[in-house]
Amino acid sequence: MNAPYDGDRGQGAGGGSASSGNTPPVPPYAEQVPPQQPVPDPYFQDAYGNDPYRAQDPYAQDPVTEALYDRAAHPPPPPGTYAEPQPLYQQPPAQQYAPDPRIWAQTPPPEPDGPSRHLPYGDTAGTTQFVGVDDLVTQAGEEPPEQDAFAYLYRDQQGSGPASASPEPEPLPAAPQQKSGGRASGLLKSSAVMAAGTLVSRLTGFVRSLVITAALGAALLGDTFTIAYTLPTMIYILTVGGGLNSVFVPQLVRAMKDDEDGGQAYANRLLTLVMVALGAIVALAVLAAPLLIKLLSPTIAEDTAANSVAVTFARYCLPTIFFMGVHVVMGQILNARGKFGAMMWTPVLNNIVMIGTFGLFIWVYGTSAESHMGVQTIPPEGIRLLGMGTLLGLVVQALAMIPYLRETGFRFRPRFDWKGHGLGKTIKLAKWTVFFVLANQAGVVVVTQLATAAGKASHKDGTGFLAYSNAQLIWGMPQAIITVSVMAALLPRISRAAHDNDPGAVRDDISQGLRNSAVAIVPVSFMFLALGVPMCTLLYSSSGVEAGRSMGFILMAFALGLIPYSVQYVVLRGFYAYEDTRTPFYNTVIVAAVNAAASAACYVMLPAQWAVVGMAGAYGLAYAVGVGVAWRRLRNRLGGDLDGARVLRTYARLSLAAVPAAGIGGALGYVVLKGLGQGALGSLVALVVGGTVLLGVFFVAAKKMRIEELNSMVGMVRGRLGR
């Protein structure tokens, strides 16, 4: 009945000690007895000695690093040199303040002095914030801040010097300190600066196109300047642009990481080589300007006045090839050193200089609608003003990079020791990129020739190459803002899944990118179809109502092609994630061939004033064919499953919601244009009324269909607005 408790045996109840019954029990931590060490097993002691992953957390291992682990470069130590392993199954020592089951409500162990360095779940005492119950209740309804998907790209605020080895960890502070700003705020600030630079650059570029059209019109003179202005970009891309971005830049980054001087010598060699090559290309291009104009547009070359103006414009614009390449190399050197903002903001300076130049031209000579200036009546002073302003814009853009380079510690020193430093293998590495560019530019040349010929044959404004370029600029802005932004956030995940050989994850991310971008791309494409005329007459009314109306028809023909154009952009990211550049090349060849053939058919079969409209429709048709080819190849690459049924269902339901919206919105816009006229005021009212009704009807129809992607986007917007 009164048997002693088992824990008392051997301490007072069972004898063996001279203590009396009134002596209180001794706590276990007052007198520690060292545990008996077992004898190691000689057959087992070195069984797990050569374990390179013993000190690593298995849940924190990077599968890519583990797959690339070079075991030949890390041989195991010779036998007999292993550290003495701890015996297996050893009884752990008793804790210093272990609980005593015989004592009820015993005194807790003392708290350590200062913040503990051993916090649960790997927390750090210097960065851990302790909150009470009141704080937890107050913050229960708040959403945790989302991580910026682009933050890993922008490191402008991390310091001005080149990347270096990570410093030794500093000792933990005596108490937690709250700092304002820090690395996270710096990354967010850099992300905001870069996003703002991109947006401002695109907006100023759009304003630049508006001012050019207002100054030169949308007839033969406008086409002449557009061809001369486009020619340097085409030559740059065909010669060094593609290889520079795809081959030299990775080698530049690798040199900055591996070389003892932080890649300074390699960057100087690269910049010197590019400057010498571009200088030679500019000299040859300026001499061959008449041949280049004839190659790009035989129609303009056959017209004596137009050819003279085009060659003069080209000789002012062709030196910009040199400054394009220098700007790109300087920007990539800054990117490798963690500076991304400069390359986004400096193009704004080029746009501002050109806007000012063409604004001065309008101030002196008036708009095209007022002066009726053509290739035969434009004065030589006006040509020089526009040519010098165009060249000055690129010069300012390139020179503006120098202060940023000096801030990072980079000093340019010409170096001509190119041999034996890895620059010679770039031709082999850039092979498929060069082929890709050639195929793409071949299609552009064909369309340029046909569009200029059709514009001259129609004898109407807004039916030539300038009108085609302006409509394409409006049409491509949603793609550049929406789809590119969505895929910039998803591409790192797709690349990691491809490296991990996880086709299911690649499929899911591509499906997500397609469906998320479709929520905005589909209604915008139908808006271009329904309201293309009032949109272009509002933007380009300074060049004449007839020219704006013709560009509106071209935009309407482009409209629905935005959907396959966006889809192909997303699908090709899957091949790039697998480092496959050959398949995108073949796909580009198919798209360029279909575009050229269909454009030629439109030029032959359609009247001259509608030929460019047909070419705009052919552009979307070519990308629809390209999507079919790329989709099938990527589906086979991922094991026959690309989530096609779900993606197709999303696009079909969004299109069903957009069709009645476009019909109602387009009808209202047409009625307003008939009532108020096709001037700037009527176009503005038609665009506002028709666009509002179109988006409202689309939203209601999509909500009725319960399209989950639209609901997710609406929920995200409401969360951002705090509603």
Side-chain angles (χ1 to χ4, degrees):
M1 293 294 294
N2 296 325
Y5 175 62
D6 290 344
D8 294 338
R9 295 176 181 175
Q11 296 187 18
S17 176
S19 59
S20 64
N22 297 328
T23 304
V26 180
Y29 51 79
E31 182 178 357
Q32 297 291 340
V33 178
Q36 183 178 1
Q37 298 290 339
V39 179
D41 188 350
Y43 297 97
F44 210 75
Q45 58 181 358
D46 292 335
Y48 298 96
N50 185 27
D51 184 4
Y53 304 105
R54 176 188 295 272
Q56 298 183 11
D57 182 5
Y59 297 99
Q61 292 181 13
D62 185 3
V64 177
T65 306
E66 182 178 354
L68 299 178
Y69 181 76
D70 189 1
R71 299 183 180 275
H74 302 82
T81 60
Y82 302 132
E84 187 68 22
Q86 295 293 333
L88 300 177
Y89 310 112
Q90 178 182 356
Q91 186 70 20
Q95 301 180 7
Q96 184 179 2
Y97 299 102
D100 189 356
R102 302 168 300 173
I103 301 177
W104 175 259
Q106 62 184 4
T107 304
E111 293 288 340
D113 296 334
S116 175
R117 290 176 176 264
H118 305 284
L119 296 177
Y121 310 111
D123 293 339
T124 306
T127 59
T128 303
Q129 179 182 5
F130 298 94
V131 298
V133 177
D134 293 339
D135 294 328
L136 293 176
V137 174
T138 304
Q139 301 172 4
E142 300 179 0
E143 295 184 358
E146 297 183 2
Q147 295 182 356
D148 186 0
F150 302 95
Y152 73 98
L153 293 174
Y154 322 125
R155 312 178 187 274
D156 287 17
Q157 309 299 322
Q158 294 186 15
S160 58
S164 59
S166 58
E168 294 295 331
E170 298 180 357
L172 296 175
Q177 298 179 359
Q178 297 295 332
K179 296 182 180 181
S180 61
R183 180 179 180 183
S185 62
L187 293 176
L188 293 176
K189 182 179 179 181
S190 299
S191 177
V193 168
M194 186 172 180
T198 303
L199 181 60
V200 174
S201 177
R202 293 189 180 278
L203 290 178
T204 53
F206 185 70
V207 174
R208 180 195 64 196
S209 69
L210 295 179
V211 177
I212 292 174
T213 306
L216 302 179
L220 185 60
L221 178 60
D223 290 350
T224 301
F225 176 80
T226 304
I227 288 176
Y229 182 68
T230 307
L231 185 59
T233 304
M234 295 180 62
I235 296 176
Y236 166 74
I237 294 175
L238 286 172
T239 52
V240 299
L244 191 65
N245 288 318
S246 64
V247 178
F248 281 109
V249 172
Q251 292 184 6
L252 177 65
V253 174
R254 190 178 304 111
M256 289 188 173
K257 290 182 178 179
D258 299 339
D259 294 354
E260 296 180 357
D261 62 347
Q264 186 94 358
Y266 185 91
N268 280 320
R269 293 188 191 97
L270 174 60
L271 190 54
T272 304
L273 176 62
V274 170
M275 293 174 68
V276 172
L278 290 177
I281 292 171
V282 167
L284 294 175
V286 170
L287 293 175
L291 297 177
L292 295 174
I293 294 296
K294 186 176 182 179
L295 176 64
L296 200 58
S297 178
T299 303
I300 290 178
E302 293 172 358
D303 189 317
T304 304
N307 182 67
S308 176
V309 174
V311 171
T312 305
F313 274 138
R315 283 177 171 162
Y316 278 108
C317 295
L318 285 171
T320 60
I321 298 173
F322 178 84
F323 298 100
M324 285 182 195
V326 171
H327 175 264
V328 170
V329 175
M330 289 181 175
Q332 298 298 350
I333 293 174
L334 287 173
N335 290 351
R337 293 168 178 260
K339 297 284 187 178
F340 290 86
M343 202 169 184
M344 296 296 106
W345 278 98
T346 47
V348 177
L349 300 176
N350 175 34
N351 294 332
I352 291 175
V353 172
M354 290 193 64
I355 291 171
T357 300
F358 281 87
L360 181 60
F361 183 90
I362 294 174
W363 182 68
V364 174
Y365 300 103
T367 63
S368 176
E370 297 171 352
S371 63
H372 301 285
M373 190 176 293
V375 292
Q376 296 178 347
T377 58
I378 182 172
E381 295 81 5
I383 298 177
R384 284 196 295 270
L385 172 63
L386 298 181
M388 293 177 64
T390 303
L391 177 59
L392 180 63
L394 265 297
V395 173
V396 171
Q397 174 179 315
L399 295 181
M401 304 290 286
I402 296 178
Y404 294 96
L405 285 173
R406 296 181 66 87
E407 183 183 357
T408 62
F410 178 79
R411 298 293 185 271
F412 174 61
R413 300 290 185 271
R415 299 195 60 157
F416 298 91
D417 52 337
W418 303 330
K419 187 176 181 180
H421 295 282
L423 298 176
K425 64 180 181 181
T426 55
I427 297 178
K428 181 185 296 185
L429 296 176
K431 177 178 63 175
W432 293 109
T433 302
V434 172
F435 290 161
F436 179 95
V437 171
L438 287 173
N440 191 24
Q441 295 301 314
V444 173
V445 169
V446 172
V447 172
T448 302
Q449 294 176 350
L450 298 176
T452 52
K456 184 178 180 181
S458 66
H459 302 289
K460 291 185 177 181
D461 294 346
T463 58
F465 182 63
L466 176 62
Y468 183 93
S469 301
N470 287 344
Q472 191 178 37
L473 178 64
I474 300 174
W475 173 78
M477 288 188 71
Q479 158 75 11
I481 296 174
I482 298 168
T483 308
V484 173
S485 299
V486 170
M487 292 310 298
L490 288 177
L491 189 58
R493 289 170 45 182
I494 297 175
S495 300
R496 285 194 297 268
H499 280 294
D500 295 343
N501 195 21
D502 188 355
V506 175
R507 176 206 61 200
D508 294 342
D509 288 335
I510 290 179
S511 173
Q512 181 182 354
L514 289 170
R515 291 180 285 108
N516 289 348
S517 60
V519 174
I521 292 295
V522 171
V524 168
S525 63
F526 277 91
M527 178 181 288
F528 288 155
L529 178 64
L531 301 172
V533 172
M535 190 178 298
C536 288
T537 51
L538 174 63
L539 295 174
Y540 299 104
S541 59
S542 59
S543 60
V545 175
E546 181 183 1
R549 192 164 179 266
S550 299
M551 282 186 272
F553 290 136
I554 298 174
L555 180 59
M556 293 174 64
F558 267 121
L560 295 183
L562 183 62
I563 298 176
Y565 182 71
S566 175
V567 171
Q568 169 153 307
Y569 180 87
V570 177
V571 172
L572 291 184
R573 301 311 104 178
F575 295 108
Y576 291 137
Y578 283 102
E579 300 181 355
D580 179 7
T581 57
R582 181 181 299 184
T583 302
F585 159 70
Y586 289 136
N587 194 262
T588 302
V589 171
I590 294 173
V591 171
V594 173
N595 185 28
S599 297
C602 292
Y603 177 78
V604 173
M605 299 173 61
L606 296 177
Q609 69 181 57
W610 297 105
V612 177
V613 177
M615 294 177 195
Y619 194 80
L621 175 63
Y623 275 96
V625 175
V627 165
V629 176
W631 184 279
R632 184 177 66 254
R633 290 187 176 182
L634 184 59
R635 182 184 60 191
N636 296 335
R637 182 72 177 265
L638 299 180
D641 185 12
L642 200 52
D643 203 13
R646 187 180 181 187
V647 172
L648 183 61
R649 182 170 61 250
T650 300
Y651 276 86
R653 297 173 73 184
L654 289 171
S655 300
L656 289 176
V659 167
I664 298 174
L668 287 176
Y670 178 79
V671 171
V672 172
L673 285 178
K674 283 295 184 181
L676 299 179
Q678 296 185 355
L681 178 60
S683 299
L684 177 61
V685 176
L687 186 60
V688 172
V689 174
T692 303
V693 173
L694 187 149
L695 294 178
V697 174
F698 171 79
F699 180 76
V700 172
K703 289 287 288 184
K704 292 293 184 182
M705 294 181 182
R706 298 181 180 179
I707 301 176
E708 58 177 326
E709 291 78 14
L710 179 65
N711 296 334
S712 300
M713 185 182 70
V714 172
M716 180 187 66
V717 172
R718 287 180 176 177
R720 295 288 185 183
L721 297 177
R723 298 179 181 178

